[in-house]
Amino acid sequence: MKLEDLNPTDGGAYFLITCPSCGRHEAFVYKDDIEKAKKDPSHKIKWKCNRLNKCGASGTLEDVNPKDIPEVALKKDNNALTQDQILSLQSLCCLLVDTPIDFSIRGISKEILSANDFIYFPKGFQGFMKAKYGDKLQKKFYSSVYGDRDILLPIFGKGKKVERILLRSKDKKLDKKEIQVKVTDKATEIWNKHAFFKKDVKYIFMCEGVYDALSILEAAKNHKEIDAIALSGCAKFKKAFDEMKNISSCKGKKIILCLDNDEAGARELKVLRANKTLKFGTLNLRNYKDVNDFLQEDPAGLKVEVLKKKIM
């Protein structure tokens, strides 16, 4: 199969492609992988479906001759953020990120929310964008999927710049609990990445979502040696390991995986355990579906399991 046969569209650091397994246009290949293949014909280009719970398939574009990979003619993305919008969203998050939160949510205290880049913005993401840009606002941001998103979870990159924003709702039950806005081209997918650089952090809990990571911080309150990061799904865990290899301050830190109690989590754990170069522990969720569910149902029990990892 060839790259151009999979309807590639530019996603910044990757191409979004049609999944060879499920047929949905939600799989991806990284551009870096393509570049490696151009230089080394033995390198296989990997693809993976982003629909983790409904597909999650992966493979390689084995029959693509790296030297023959065409320059894909990409359609201009008319929905991409303008430079002015990028600066506005970055400024908004930096302005609001230190605003104290006066409520708890899903078992997570206002103290933990306030201390960990959690933004409550009653006007909402869509309301802000409509008010600021009016009829110049891209069509997609008028979609109902962006409505009622009054919780902003910024993901910071280098220089404390917002590279990605996760959007949720405080009170309303939405079909999609979380959506994201990619602010910069090569946006990191790791929430709380600065945990990698903290000298006093000895244990990093790697979670599938921000609420799970915040739940770890709630359970480990007053334990500065414990921190947590979050990625959008367990399939991204390997990428976090790869990044940590190149960060000197990560040496000696112990990693504890917090995978959901579902098929996707079990499948990814099997894959990670097969990689003998990776060293990690796992959090015992007992019979709970995920970390936040554990916190809400048995906060004392979660604290016991989290602190157990200090003697691993």
Side-chain angles (χ1 to χ4, degrees):
M1 130 193 0
K2 293 189 176 183
L3 187 64
E4 67 267 28
D5 295 330
L6 297 173
N7 307 308
T9 55
D10 197 352
Y14 57 87
F15 287 119
L16 196 63
I17 62 171
T18 299
C19 175
S21 178
C22 70
R24 298 284 290 273
H25 198 255
E26 296 187 45
F28 59 90
V29 292
Y30 283 108
K31 290 181 180 178
D32 285 349
D33 218 21
I34 294 172
E35 291 304 312
K36 287 178 184 177
K38 286 180 178 179
K39 296 174 182 177
D40 177 8
S42 67
H43 182 81
K44 293 182 179 180
I45 302 171
K46 298 175 183 178
W47 61 269
K48 187 170 183 68
C49 185
N50 220 15
R51 303 174 68 229
L52 302 180
N53 292 320
K54 294 184 179 179
C55 179
S58 61
T60 60
L61 304 180
E62 294 182 40
D63 59 341
V64 175
N65 184 334
K67 293 182 179 179
D68 296 335
I69 295 174
E71 293 296 327
V72 182
L74 300 171
K75 296 178 181 178
K76 183 181 178 181
D77 185 0
N78 293 320
N79 286 317
L81 292 171
T82 66
Q83 189 60 30
D84 182 63
Q85 289 170 336
I86 289 171
L87 293 174
S88 292
L89 287 172
Q90 289 177 332
S91 297
L92 176 71
C93 289
C94 289
L95 181 68
L96 298 176
V97 76
D98 293 323
T99 303
I101 302 298
D102 62 1
F103 58 85
S104 61
I105 192 167
R106 291 172 61 169
I108 306 163
S109 68
K110 60 185 181 182
E111 291 79 15
I112 291 296
L113 297 177
S114 298
N116 290 283
D117 301 338
F118 184 98
I119 296 173
Y120 176 54
F121 186 45
K123 189 173 186 176
F125 172 85
Q126 189 178 65
F128 169 77
M129 295 295 279
K130 281 182 177 180
K132 189 166 181 64
Y133 295 101
D135 58 6
K136 292 182 180 179
L137 183 62
Q138 293 89 329
K139 200 172 182 179
K140 82 168 185 178
F141 293 122
Y142 278 93
S143 167
S144 59
V145 75
Y146 287 92
D148 300 312
R149 306 277 176 178
D150 51 10
I151 288 176
L152 282 62
L153 303 170
I155 297 181
F156 294 94
K158 293 179 180 178
K160 197 66 176 175
K161 283 191 176 181
V162 177
E163 296 187 356
R164 194 181 296 266
I165 305 172
L166 309 181
L167 305 175
R168 301 183 70 110
S169 174
K170 177 177 177 283
D171 298 313
K172 295 200 175 183
K173 291 184 178 180
L174 305 176
D175 289 337
K176 269 195 165 185
K177 290 182 182 178
E178 183 177 284
I179 61 173
Q180 54 181 279
V181 174
K182 188 178 176 185
V183 179
T184 61
D185 186 28
K186 293 186 177 180
T188 181
E189 296 181 87
I190 303 174
W191 177 85
N192 194 30
K193 191 174 178 179
H194 46 273
F196 292 164
F197 304 96
K198 294 179 181 176
K199 291 182 180 179
D200 55 348
V201 170
K202 306 299 180 188
Y203 306 88
I204 295 179
F205 286 72
M206 195 180 291
C207 303
E208 290 196 41
V210 175
Y211 280 15
D212 286 341
L214 289 169
S215 298
I216 293 293
L217 297 177
E218 182 67 39
K221 197 181 290 185
N222 300 322
H223 288 267
K224 292 183 179 180
E225 69 279 14
I226 294 175
D227 213 331
I229 63 170
L231 297 101
S232 55
C234 58
K236 309 286 177 66
F237 280 19
K238 176 60 168 58
K239 188 176 180 182
F241 276 110
D242 289 342
E243 286 203 38
M244 292 177 72
K245 286 179 185 176
N246 300 316
I247 300 173
S248 59
S249 57
C250 285
K251 290 179 180 178
K253 294 188 191 303
K254 294 183 178 179
I255 307 301
I256 299 94
L257 304 188
C258 305
L259 297 123
D260 290 356
N261 260 336
D262 58 15
E263 289 183 15
R267 185 168 58 240
E268 192 62 25
L269 180 58
K270 187 176 180 181
V271 170
L272 293 171
R273 279 180 169 161
N275 189 331
K276 301 304 180 184
T277 66
L278 302 180
K279 305 295 180 185
F280 57 83
T282 56
L283 180 69
N284 180 7
L285 289 180
R286 299 182 184 175
N287 293 318
Y288 299 104
K289 63 180 182 180
D290 57 36
V291 183
N292 184 249
D293 182 48
F294 197 167
L295 176 70
Q296 292 184 78
E297 297 296 328
D298 184 7
L302 176 60
K303 183 175 182 178
V304 167
E305 295 298 339
V306 168
L307 297 185
K308 268 184 188 179
K309 294 302 163 184
K310 291 179 62 177
I311 58 173
M312 60 180 269

